[in-house]
Amino acid sequence: AAAFETALGGKEQYNMKMYQLAFQSLYTELGVKRDMTKEQAPEYIAKANAYFKKVLPEQEAKLSSNFAMNIYRITKDWDNFAKTAIAYYDNNTTATSMELNSIAWTFYESIDNPEYLREALGWGLQSVKMSEEYANTDTVASLYSKLGDKMNAKVYAEKAISLGKATGQDVSSTE
């Protein structure tokens, strides 16, 4: 595993990749399709829950919630996605900086409910606290902007631009 961690850029990236592979094989086994409807989601979620209970009972709750979030994302059921994500991340003390930024960005792109967006802002800020980088600082700036807090949006956008330029990243979408 150590060699793969190094090849993939660290333990966090390795764990994320392994998680993705496990879910992809489950999607295949269950026959999950990208064109699935919202009405089909409960059936797939129930099958996945039974699978996780049988195969990984000690991680069933975490895996089932994560699977449900992915299904709600596929079906663009953003309200159920947001509710499931909030329940999942409010009880997840092991989420990585990258994972928190990813979910916060998904909320920025797909959610309009200010209450839900404030939850995502909290995850974004936690991500920055864990590892301040261009991507997560930009996410925080974007969430502040979407919530109408232009002052904090500007502070974080300027910080993101500075971090991005220092590491040679394209910051044009933030500028």
Side-chain angles (χ1 to χ4, degrees):
F4 288 113
E5 286 178 14
T6 302
L8 291 171
K11 187 172 185 159
E12 186 175 321
Q13 288 81 4
Y14 170 79
N15 287 339
M16 185 174 288
K17 188 64 173 174
M18 296 310 295
Y19 203 61
Q20 288 171 344
L21 290 171
F23 269 76
Q24 285 172 355
S25 65
L26 179 59
Y27 292 152
T28 301
E29 185 175 320
L30 294 178
V32 173
K33 305 278 191 253
R34 287 278 168 199
D35 61 349
M36 149 189 357
T37 65
K38 288 181 185 180
E39 295 74 27
Q40 293 171 309
E43 175 189 343
Y44 287 106
I45 292 169
K47 287 179 182 178
N49 292 349
Y51 173 82
F52 293 133
K53 186 174 189 169
K54 177 181 161 190
V55 176
L56 294 163
E58 68 283 353
Q59 295 183 37
E60 175 197 357
K62 180 179 179 178
L63 294 172
S64 293
S65 292
N66 198 297
F67 184 86
M69 281 189 296
N70 287 323
I71 294 297
Y72 293 137
R73 184 180 305 172
I74 290 168
T75 61
K76 298 185 182 350
D77 184 348
W78 298 117
D79 191 57
N80 278 323
F81 170 80
K83 289 175 184 174
T84 304
I86 289 167
Y88 177 80
Y89 284 101
D90 282 352
N91 296 310
N92 185 343
T93 58
T94 61
T96 64
S97 175
M98 185 183 296
E99 184 179 358
L100 290 169
N101 182 59
S102 178
I103 193 69
W105 184 254
T106 299
F107 268 58
Y108 167 73
E109 290 185 314
S110 307
I111 304 294
D112 292 318
N113 180 318
E115 178 184 342
Y116 296 163
L117 290 171
R118 282 190 288 279
E119 290 278 347
L121 177 61
W123 302 326
L125 290 167
Q126 181 62 31
S127 173
V128 168
K129 185 177 177 183
M130 293 166 77
S131 176
E132 188 177 62
E133 299 172 13
Y134 167 69
N136 58 9
T137 308
D138 176 67
T139 297
V140 170
S142 298
L143 284 163
Y144 271 129
S145 179
K146 193 166 184 177
L147 285 164
D149 185 342
K150 301 302 179 196
M151 186 179 77
N152 277 318
K154 183 177 179 182
V155 168
Y156 277 89
E158 288 172 352
K159 191 181 292 191
I161 291 166
S162 175
L163 289 165
K165 285 182 176 179
T167 56
Q169 296 180 62
D170 177 8
V171 298
S172 60
S173 65
T174 308
E175 294 178 313

